[in-house]
Amino acid sequence: MTDGAPSRLPLDWIAAALRRERTRAGLSLSELAKRAGIAKSTLSQLEAAGGNPSMETLWALAVALGVPFSALVEPPAPRVQVIRAGEGPTVRSDRSSYVATLLSASPPGARRDLYAVDLEPGTVRASDPHMPGTVEHVVVSAGRVSAGPEGEELELGVGDYMAYRGDVPHRYEALEPGTKFVLIMQHV
């Protein structure tokens, strides 16, 4: 991109994944929308490759479907995959400066997702619990971040690693401009 902004997720990937996972779960549009706490019209628009879904909407749908977040946003996988810095499918939070780029989704039989995250000071990314058994691993590559389960957040610096339960409410807050970390979500 010429403006240096990360690319947005192609809506056709999301639409196909939502239809696939909703059909697999045997849910109607109305039932999935109800379980995810979103309007049926919003879900219908997303399945038609319209709209501009936020991270929060996609997370709610993933939880309601009982699938990892990456199942809704992963592109068709090539034989060799390279994602250059600043490229790749990204999602943004509506509530903070949190921007996550999916680097690697779990292949069949494996249950982990890998993200490169950029976060700026001034906002907090509060995350609802993910699927039961989820563990998050964080490795800081630039800046400083406060992360972890609500009430148990710890400050991490460059090179620091942390693992914690992702199936409880948790938070991320950048403590320096240009904060970057790798987030690995392990689904058990």
Side-chain angles (χ1 to χ4, degrees):
M1 303 192 95
T2 57
D3 63 1
S7 61
R8 296 288 299 175
L9 288 169
L11 293 176
D12 56 330
W13 294 353
I14 295 169
L18 281 170
R19 286 189 304 271
R20 177 189 70 233
E21 295 301 331
R22 184 175 60 79
T23 300
R24 181 197 53 77
L27 297 173
S28 67
L29 277 169
S30 296
E31 182 60 24
L32 178 55
K34 180 180 173 183
R35 289 182 184 189
I38 65 171
K40 179 182 173 184
S41 60
T42 299
L43 178 56
S44 179
Q45 187 179 27
L46 291 176
E47 283 198 7
N52 188 15
S54 70
M55 175 181 287
E56 289 79 10
T57 298
L58 294 175
W59 277 113
L61 287 165
V63 170
L65 288 164
V67 299
F69 175 78
S70 62
L72 300 182
V73 299
E74 65 186 333
R79 287 180 155 299
V80 175
Q81 182 178 14
V82 175
I83 298 176
R84 302 286 181 203
E87 297 178 355
T90 62
V91 288
R92 297 175 182 275
S93 171
D94 283 340
R95 300 178 194 146
S96 72
S97 66
Y98 186 95
V99 178
T101 302
L102 179 64
L103 299 177
S104 173
S106 295
R111 301 196 41 109
R112 58 104 191 112
D113 303 324
L114 180 65
Y115 297 90
V117 176
D118 297 310
L119 188 60
E120 294 298 326
T123 59
V124 174
R125 167 67 180 136
S127 182
D128 293 328
H130 304 306
M131 297 180 340
T134 299
V135 175
E136 293 195 1
H137 304 263
V138 173
V139 180
V140 179
S141 57
R144 289 183 309 120
V145 65
S146 172
E150 285 186 7
E152 300 177 54
E153 297 94 340
L154 296 172
E155 184 177 317
L156 303 172
V158 174
D160 289 346
Y161 162 80
M162 175 186 206
Y164 53 88
R165 289 181 54 191
D167 57 2
V168 298
H170 51 284
R171 305 162 54 96
Y172 312 95
E173 180 178 8
L175 303 175
E176 290 181 5
T179 294
K180 298 177 181 296
F181 57 92
V182 173
L183 172 65
I184 301 166
M185 294 186 67
Q186 175 183 318
H187 308 286
V188 185

